[in-house]
Amino acid sequence: MPDFKTMYFQLAARVADALDILLKAQQEGEGEFMDEEPSPGLKVIAIKDEGSDSE
């Protein structure tokens, strides 16, 4: 019979490792983006929230 407890903990450890890798990649990407010079053609556009009633 397989040892499901061990398998579960191995899976949980690998999922945690994957999340750490993704988080580090996101932080590095955000850091690179923030270090770049602003693009002259970049515009910020406000998006109206259609779900809220402002009446």
Side-chain angles (χ1 to χ4, degrees):
M1 180 177 204
D3 184 3
F4 290 108
K5 184 176 180 179
T6 300
M7 291 169 54
Y8 174 80
F9 284 115
Q10 289 175 343
L11 174 63
R14 294 204 181 198
V15 169
D17 292 343
L19 289 173
D20 289 340
I21 291 169
L22 291 170
L23 182 60
K24 183 178 178 186
Q26 178 185 7
Q27 290 171 342
E28 288 175 358
E30 289 171 350
E32 290 176 16
F33 178 78
M34 296 303 291
D35 290 341
E36 290 181 10
E37 292 294 321
S39 176
L42 185 64
K43 295 181 182 178
V44 177
I45 301 173
I47 298 175
K48 181 181 176 185
D49 185 11
E50 295 177 11
S52 65
D53 293 329
S54 58
E55 294 177 28

